[in-house]
Amino acid sequence: MDPRIERHAEILVDYSIEAEAGDEVVVSAAPEAEDLVVAIAEKLGERGANLTTKLSSSRAGRAHMNAKDEEDITENAVERAMTETTDAFVYIRSNRNSYEFSDVPPEKMTATQRANKETSEIRMGKRWVLTQFPTEADAQNAEMPTDVYEGFVWNAINRDWQEQYDHQAQFTEMLDEASEVHIVSGDTTDIRMNVEGMRAANDHGKHNMPAGEVFTAPNPESVEGEVLFDMPLVTRGREVTNVRLVFEGGEVVEHSADKNEDLLTAMLDTDEGARRLGELGIGMNRGIDRFTKNMLFDEKMGDTVHMAIGRAIDENVPEGKEANDSAVHTDMIVDMSEDSYIELDGEVVQRDGTFKFEDGFGA
């Protein structure tokens, strides 16, 4: 077996979910990722954990959703029961066709998210990690040769995550102590938000692989200004480009997109919380050096920020603070590599993608 696969399985089992004897672990993957599933299974067996494998099939999911009437969409009781009895989850993405869900009506997708919102919340309180297994389809989306893409993926996810944590901790501390965040990129993005009292989190491989971001939650009603997400969003099997959002009093009051604006509208109309920001994230993984139309990687890329409409992440919101609540959580990205800066309480802490604690800041 490819030693890079074995190394990643070890990271997932020992570092990400910290599997122990007696743990009930669910591994969900498509057939394309069988080698990684096998490597994980071996590691779990060595540690005395129990394994349940779950087949993930985008073709089956599409067929089911297209055949089902929207009024028949209800909570998946089996998924709920499994989630309640599982200690840890490993989710593996391995696309055969990234656009398999492209003809599923957005309304059905949002209805499914609403129906299974409580299950999702239970899962978020467990040990879980989402990772990527490289496929030819993903390489094609990234416009890269297959072997080059494989190297890109393994370089991004098989890292020294403790070292990454230490690097990111410098910005985590700065963001955690800040009240006002001001983000400017060219003449298309100028947005402010208040993060006072929220917790900044250091993403270093416990939930997402690759990791490599620092993120927080804005106070829901504080977001003001305009943002152009100039990197494409691929979600629900469709590509949405040049998303423009205008915020007043924390709420999206204007929106547009050059492509698939109807999908953007459906997401914003999911519920009241979908029109507010639940997350601000700053990408800091220098092992991700190019945009590949895969949000799991793209949002961690250095020289970017991302913002998510919808649900706030629990670890960002201390007891007593208001958390934005929604059935959706959709990240979108702004390129910060040129003519851009981030201010914390009026001090520029990043310029053109370089932080004040990195070489070249202000050059």
Side-chain angles (χ1 to χ4, degrees):
M1 183 177 291
D2 188 329
R4 299 174 299 182
I5 296 176
E6 294 182 322
R7 172 58 182 153
H8 192 54
E10 185 176 32
I11 291 173
L12 294 173
V13 170
D14 292 338
Y15 182 81
S16 297
I17 65 170
E18 301 182 55
E20 298 179 351
D23 278 347
E24 298 292 343
V25 181
V26 171
V27 178
S28 177
E32 289 78 9
E34 185 179 23
D35 280 355
L36 182 54
V37 175
V38 171
I40 292 170
E42 183 176 25
K43 301 298 181 187
L44 289 173
E46 291 172 353
R47 285 142 189 79
N50 293 328
L51 168 68
T52 299
T53 55
K54 179 182 173 187
L55 175 65
S56 172
S57 169
S58 56
R59 290 181 62 205
R62 169 184 174 268
H64 179 253
M65 294 197 72
N66 274 334
K68 197 169 191 177
D69 291 334
E70 185 177 343
E71 56 267 26
D72 293 331
I73 295 175
T74 58
E75 182 184 44
N76 187 320
V78 172
E79 187 76 20
R80 171 71 175 261
M82 183 184 70
T83 301
E84 291 176 336
T85 56
T86 299
D87 296 304
F89 299 85
V90 179
Y91 296 96
I92 305 169
R93 288 183 180 175
S94 54
N95 291 313
R96 178 182 295 177
N97 179 358
S98 302
Y99 298 91
E100 192 68 53
F101 287 90
S102 60
D103 65 347
V104 176
E107 296 77 14
K108 289 188 178 183
M109 303 289 279
T110 55
T112 301
Q113 286 182 305
R114 282 195 299 266
N116 293 283
K117 182 172 178 286
E118 290 186 7
T119 300
S120 178
E121 290 172 347
I122 295 169
R123 185 183 302 115
M124 293 293 286
K126 306 270 187 167
R127 285 174 282 153
W128 62 270
V129 65
L130 169 66
T131 191
Q132 181 83 31
F133 187 85
T135 64
E136 293 179 357
D138 290 316
Q140 188 172 32
N141 288 342
E143 300 180 5
M144 297 166 65
T146 302
D147 62 335
V148 176
Y149 181 74
E150 289 174 350
F152 164 81
V153 169
W154 299 126
N155 184 56
I157 62 181
N158 285 347
R159 302 182 69 79
D160 183 333
W161 291 110
Q162 184 59 53
E163 180 180 324
Q164 185 74 31
Y165 174 87
D166 293 340
H167 175 67
Q168 293 174 179
Q170 300 172 87
F171 187 68
T172 307
E173 183 178 351
M174 295 165 60
L175 185 59
D176 210 26
E177 295 176 351
S179 295
E180 296 290 334
V181 182
H182 182 203
I183 298 172
V184 174
S185 181
D187 57 4
T188 56
T189 293
D190 189 337
I191 190 167
R192 297 176 184 269
M193 63 193 73
N194 183 284
V195 296
E196 185 174 5
M198 296 300 191
R199 294 194 189 104
N202 186 336
D203 172 37
H204 55 105
K206 291 296 183 180
H207 292 308
N208 285 336
M209 281 291 180
E213 66 170 297
V214 173
F215 60 97
T216 190
N219 287 293
E221 297 181 0
S222 71
V223 184
E224 298 281 347
E226 178 177 344
V227 56
L228 176 69
F229 298 100
D230 47 8
M231 292 188 172
L233 164 68
V234 178
T235 183
R236 306 181 187 184
R238 298 166 72 185
E239 183 175 318
V240 188
T241 59
N242 285 329
V243 172
R244 174 180 170 269
L245 302 179
V246 179
F247 292 86
E248 292 181 5
E251 186 175 352
V252 175
V253 294
E254 294 180 29
H255 71 275
S256 64
D258 289 352
K259 182 179 180 181
N260 286 320
E261 185 176 313
D262 63 323
L263 177 55
L264 174 64
T265 301
M267 289 189 293
L268 291 170
D269 288 344
T270 301
D271 48 40
E272 184 178 352
R275 287 186 171 266
R276 298 183 183 276
L277 283 188
E279 179 191 355
L280 166 67
I282 295 86
M284 298 184 67
N285 186 335
R286 301 295 186 192
I288 303 172
D289 59 359
R290 68 194 76 185
F291 183 71
T292 59
K293 293 186 181 179
N294 183 337
M295 189 60 68
L296 189 59
F297 288 73
D298 297 338
E299 69 173 1
K300 318 300 185 349
M301 182 166 50
D303 306 345
T304 67
V305 300
H306 58 276
M307 304 171 205
I309 54 171
R311 184 184 65 252
I313 299 172
D314 288 344
E315 64 184 299
N316 293 137
V317 186
E319 187 176 352
K321 294 290 291 183
E322 181 185 0
N324 193 50
D325 187 34
S326 175
V328 302
H329 179 97
T330 303
D331 295 290
M332 293 173 279
I333 302 173
V334 181
D335 182 359
M336 298 289 289
S337 62
E338 296 181 358
D339 195 22
S340 304
Y341 61 87
I342 300 174
E343 287 182 342
L344 300 182
D345 296 330
E347 178 188 3
V348 176
V349 296
Q350 188 206 69
R351 183 176 287 110
D352 297 340
T354 303
F355 294 93
K356 64 179 294 184
F357 50 81
E358 294 180 311
D359 293 339
F361 176 76

